[in-house]
Amino acid sequence: MPEGHSIHRLARRHHQLFRGEALRAASPQGRFAEGAELLDGATLERTDAWGKHLFHHYTGDLRLHVHLGLYGTFTEGDLPAPHPRGALRLRLVGKERWLDLRGPIACEVLTPEQCRQVTDALGPDPLREGSDPALVLARLARSRASVGSLLMNQQVVAGVGNVYRAEILFRHGVSPFLPGRDLEESTWLSMWADLSVLMRAGVRTGRIVTTDPEDRARPAGRARRVDAHYVYRRTGQPCRRCDTPVSQVEMAARNLFWCSWCQPDP
DNA sequence: GCTAAATGTTGAT
DNA sequence: TCAACCTTTAGCT
């Protein structure tokens, strides 16, 4: 579930797996053969994430840039690595562990300068130290576009995806259709603070849970699955706060979910 | 066990 | 606006 929290979690994990190790790199699929050749033998110094973009810093100023897109996925394990099967874009092998990457939308070796170009095009990331919500506000304040679409724009805020978008709007009673310029500053600042908390929890657990305990159904009997979302993918089901059926509409080829009572139209 | 839909973005039409 | 990327998972049966 690659929203920003997953990518930060992966950055942390890859650092744990391979920090300080010289890695073998290969692209069994062939689509990253040149890049893998460049990386082969380099040592992983550190990892970094900005929004949904992942970076590995290797010796020799080599940077691996990965964007998982919708389908991309990493798998890992202890050596020996299994025989490569399917479309395996990149396999990294360390002293004790292997790491496979499949289906990313971006997997490339960049220079530090090229990495900067990537991150310069991104808005502040609630998961990064020192990110400034005022910069986001400045973008919102001069846009007639809906806050629902602006939150999905990585140049405005980095790391928020369809789930966090729907849930943060609900939690603050904001209609997705409100023009960005009409969002109150104080509302945005509490949304940002809330996003940081929720996304940090996502990094810790690997799951997106946005409901407050009092809005979840009583745990009937044994450990049942937690009611993790207020509106995301709950079309037609009663709102956890007011019982109004959750609404859904397709917006820019993405599903948008909201409660028309808790988040009234502007 | 199978099918449909999905967390995202780019590039072509 | 749509296809591509080509894996995972939720929801059926």
Side-chain angles (χ1 to χ4, degrees), chain A residues 56 74 76 100 102-103 114 133 157 193 213 223 235 255 260:
Chain A
H56 286 187
F74 280 102
E76 56 167 77
D100 283 357
R102 296 164 199 276
Q114 290 170 316
V157 205
T235 312
N255 291 317
S260 58

Side-chain angles (χ1 to χ4, degrees), chain A residues 30-46:
Chain A
R31 282 189 55 181
F32 185 57
E34 285 179 29
E37 207 167 309
L38 283 170
L39 290 181
D40 194 37
T43 298
L44 182 69
E45 296 177 308
R46 63 189 195 91

